[in-house]
Amino acid sequence: MISTPAYNLAADPRTAAALSLKEAVLKLLAYFDIFHYPLTRDEVCSFLRHFPAEEKIDQSLAILLDEKTIFCYQGFYSLQDNLLLVHRRKQGNERAVPLLRKAIRIGRFLQQFPFVRAVGISGSLSKNFAAENADIDFFIITASNRLWIARTLMHLFKKLCYLAGRQHYFCMNYYIDEMALSLEDQNIFSAIEVKTLVPVDGFHGMEDFFTLNAWTAQWLPGFADPLQSLPDSRPSVFKNTGEWFFNAMWGDRLDDFLFHKTRQRWLVKEARGLRNQKGVRMGLVTGKHFARSNPGAFQERVLAMYEKKLQQLNLLR
């Protein structure tokens, strides 16, 4: 589903005149205010790279501060006049440092599962923030028509992690296969998730993913893709053997079977209103070539809150 241009941090050049820099700054801070996450000056500049001069961004920030439309504490800008947000962010940044190192090791381990072609870190950790008892969220690219085999194997492994109380380190929340690298949900939420993704392994898979999601430039013009030096790990014996075995066992039929069984099971969970360990209603958006965890219709709620903030700031066009 493609969202309306109302969500853009910069106006869609095909349909509207360019937003003023001041409006763009407000839209950016409004989005992150949903997560109670103030931004530094460098982060604001990074998200607004399409504007030609950082001095202009500084001027806009100064004007908004004088108007008391935004506030700044210890170098962090926010729509809220609340110093506690800065303390919360600093603590979350500190917790993220060791957790990110752990996530990279786990991601490279997950890369060795059969049919996995690339792994990235997503969620709050990809933005260098970790709440207390934070999960580690992973974005997984699989081989074409093998997503449901790969996901089933990985989630069987995750069930074993429950025995050791380590299941929150293995939250494989978003799967797509090589036939569906272009995301259907093209909105500000998805754009920021793509642009802040931390690639861990699988250079070619990630390269294709970013290429096919160039639409993100409509929301974040000039924001570079996070793909830099990224390994392509050599497949292990377990990975090669697993792919040979499941391909030999009518791989297409098996993948179709696992897709339909998983989809039916999740429809039952959602109909019963089951909740996860955090008390949030469970949800999984599925298709043959993708699976996206969506607890409590999270993406839809974020977009609704963002639109409400834009209305309050008189920024909807």
Side-chain angles (χ1 to χ4, degrees):
M1 179 181 67
I2 300 176
S3 74
T4 66
Y7 296 121
N8 293 17
L9 292 182
D12 188 333
R14 300 170 305 177
T15 59
L19 289 175
S20 74
L21 178 52
K22 182 178 169 182
E23 289 174 314
V25 170
L26 278 176
K27 283 198 166 191
L28 176 63
L29 294 178
Y31 182 83
F32 282 93
D33 190 63
I34 295 169
F35 305 96
H36 307 295
Y37 194 76
L39 298 179
T40 66
R41 179 256 186 199
D42 288 345
E43 288 168 341
V44 172
C45 291
S46 179
F47 277 102
L48 301 177
R49 283 194 185 113
H50 56 291
F51 288 99
E54 292 187 4
E55 292 81 5
K56 297 292 185 182
I57 296 176
D58 291 332
Q59 291 174 12
S60 294
L61 289 170
I63 293 170
L64 290 168
L65 286 170
D66 288 340
E67 295 174 350
K68 297 191 180 302
T69 306
I70 67 173
F71 304 89
C72 183
Y73 291 103
Q74 300 177 15
F76 293 90
Y77 294 88
S78 172
L79 295 183
Q80 299 187 49
D81 186 10
N82 187 352
L83 179 59
L84 292 178
L85 293 182
V86 175
H87 296 317
R88 174 183 178 272
R89 170 171 170 166
K90 287 183 174 180
Q91 291 173 350
N93 291 159
E94 290 174 1
R95 284 191 292 262
V97 174
L99 198 61
L100 190 56
R101 290 197 293 264
K102 184 186 292 290
I104 290 172
R105 293 196 299 270
I106 294 172
R108 289 174 180 163
F109 167 74
L110 295 176
Q111 176 73 8
Q112 293 304 322
F113 273 77
F115 304 115
V116 173
R117 295 296 177 259
V119 177
I121 300 165
S122 60
S124 61
L125 190 57
S126 70
K127 299 157 192 68
N128 196 37
F129 182 86
E132 292 185 54
N133 303 315
D135 295 334
I136 300 178
D137 298 323
F138 290 101
F139 173 82
I140 312 289
I141 299 175
T142 74
S144 298
N145 292 313
R146 294 296 181 269
L147 184 154
W148 294 97
I149 295 175
R151 184 183 182 280
T152 300
L153 292 173
M154 297 172 85
H155 279 258
L156 286 174
F157 168 78
K158 183 177 178 178
K159 289 185 181 297
L160 297 177
C161 296
Y162 277 90
L163 300 176
R166 294 290 184 268
Q167 68 276 5
H168 56 287
Y169 290 154
F170 296 88
C171 296
M172 291 81 76
N173 288 335
Y174 205 136
Y175 286 82
I176 58 173
D177 77 13
E178 292 173 324
M179 292 183 66
L181 293 180
S182 180
L183 301 185
E184 291 186 4
D185 293 325
Q186 297 183 7
N187 51 51
I188 184 59
F189 178 91
S190 297
I192 288 181
E193 290 305 304
V194 170
K195 290 294 191 178
T196 58
L197 189 69
V198 179
V200 174
D201 208 325
F203 177 85
H204 295 295
M206 284 293 177
E207 183 179 42
D208 291 343
F209 171 73
F210 290 126
T211 298
L212 290 172
N213 287 283
W215 57 266
T216 54
Q218 294 179 18
W219 278 263
L220 300 169
F223 195 100
D225 291 330
L227 187 62
Q228 298 176 355
S229 177
L230 182 67
D232 255 327
S233 297
R234 294 182 60 184
S236 64
V237 173
F238 168 69
K239 186 185 187 87
N240 284 333
T241 303
E243 293 189 8
W244 170 83
F245 178 78
F246 287 106
N247 279 329
M249 291 184 60
W250 305 286
D252 289 341
R253 292 184 182 180
L254 178 60
D255 198 77
D256 286 341
F257 171 78
L258 292 173
F259 163 54
H260 291 296
K261 292 295 291 185
T262 304
R263 184 172 181 274
Q264 290 170 2
R265 184 163 58 88
W266 273 90
L267 288 174
V268 171
K269 288 183 179 182
E270 293 174 16
R272 292 179 177 176
L274 298 184
R275 297 179 180 272
N276 60 23
Q277 292 181 325
K278 296 182 179 180
V280 179
R281 188 163 181 169
M282 301 171 72
L284 185 71
V285 182
T286 62
K288 174 62 172 130
H289 304 290
F290 70 92
R292 172 170 61 85
S293 178
N294 193 29
F298 182 69
Q299 181 179 151
E300 292 78 6
R301 286 192 294 112
V302 168
L303 291 175
M305 286 188 286
Y306 184 52
E307 183 170 14
K308 184 177 181 180
K309 285 185 178 291
L310 296 186
Q311 288 174 339
Q312 293 169 346
L313 293 167
N314 294 316
L315 291 176
L316 278 179
R317 289 177 179 262

